[in-house]
Amino acid sequence: MTATASTVLPARALLLDMDGTLVNSDAAVERVWRRWADRHGLDGDEVMKVVHGRQGYASMALLLPDRPMEQNYADNARMLAEETADTEGVVVIPGAPDFLASLRGLPHALVTSADVALSTARMAAAGLVQPDVRITAESVGASKPDPEGFLKGAAELGIDPADCIAFEDSGAGIAAARAAGMRVVGVGPRAGFHGPDVVVEDLTRVRVEAAADGSLRLHIG
């Protein structure tokens, strides 16, 4: 549903995706992946329908199902280097700086399909401070839509997944959070197609209220 002024969600921790949720990196993602699509004779528009939210090797496995995974992993490493070097047009999602600042001292984590280098570069390009707890590509053995990253984030924070709310923009990410047993706030235009609990245009109308018992109340709208 679309958020209204009365949308309030209880939680004990928040798990935040990066690309499309805190940082708008669509321009850089498009450049890198459309070049990859051209190299492999694939339709760029069809490729872009797949790649958001997933680690690169997982997207490649879907797009080139007959190719050995070893090639996907090698290609993924090259793509990550390209993406890390290309921060032109990487900008902050409106409301993200204030929202992240409001979470200082409260249980929250970054859960991203990017690796450490890429997430560091993009958060810096957007002028955002990274959360203390970060689950990156190096932290997991399976890409979103597998729930491993979100489950690890909850475990790192010591919070039951059912008491966590995930913020996501992509179909793969929303599916991963759902599979982890979490409620989901969908951020941006892609999110609404994938059944999150609430959809917001950006983070400007999202705020968190902390109670004395450690619980959180997420106000949206």
Side-chain angles (χ1 to χ4, degrees):
M1 65 177 174
T2 301
T4 68
S6 60
T7 303
V8 180
L9 300 174
R12 298 194 73 85
L14 305 181
L15 301 182
L16 314 173
D17 174 50
M18 180 184 70
D19 290 304
T21 301
L22 299 174
V23 172
N24 183 343
S25 56
D26 282 0
V29 172
E30 288 258 351
R31 284 193 294 273
V32 170
W33 277 100
R34 286 186 182 277
R35 286 198 299 268
W36 182 87
D38 288 343
R39 289 197 295 270
H40 294 280
L42 298 174
D43 180 271
D45 291 341
E46 293 303 313
V47 168
M48 294 313 302
K49 293 177 183 177
V50 171
V51 300
H52 291 291
R54 292 181 171 84
Q55 291 191 45
Y57 73 83
S59 296
M60 294 169 192
L62 290 173
L63 293 162
L64 297 173
D66 297 326
R67 191 166 80 152
M69 281 302 295
E70 291 78 7
Q71 291 185 32
N72 294 337
Y73 288 127
D75 227 0
N76 185 53
R78 288 190 290 270
M79 294 281 284
L80 282 170
E82 283 186 54
E83 289 187 275
T84 301
D86 184 359
T87 56
E88 183 180 350
V90 173
V91 295
V92 68
I93 295 290
D98 289 342
F99 183 54
L100 280 175
S102 76
L103 297 181
R104 288 187 194 128
L106 303 179
H108 70 289
L110 188 73
V111 181
T112 176
S113 292
D115 64 3
V116 169
L118 180 57
S119 59
T120 300
R122 285 188 175 161
M123 292 286 279
L128 294 176
V129 177
Q130 298 230 41
D132 291 336
V133 178
R134 299 183 290 275
I135 306 299
T136 63
E138 295 93 340
S139 309
V140 298
S143 169
K144 298 172 185 177
D146 190 281
E148 182 183 2
F150 282 113
L151 292 172
K152 283 201 168 183
E156 286 275 337
L157 296 171
I159 304 294
D160 189 294
D163 292 325
C164 296
I165 294 176
F167 283 68
E168 267 286 0
D169 72 300
S170 70
I174 291 169
R178 284 273 190 230
M182 299 177 184
R183 288 155 295 153
V184 186
V185 174
V187 181
R190 283 187 292 268
F193 296 104
H194 304 288
D197 294 276
V198 180
V199 181
V200 295
E201 182 178 347
D202 54 37
L203 299 174
T204 55
R205 297 173 66 193
V206 180
R207 67 181 181 87
V208 64
E209 175 189 3
D213 66 356
S215 65
L216 308 176
R217 286 169 63 83
L218 190 66
H219 296 260
I220 303 172

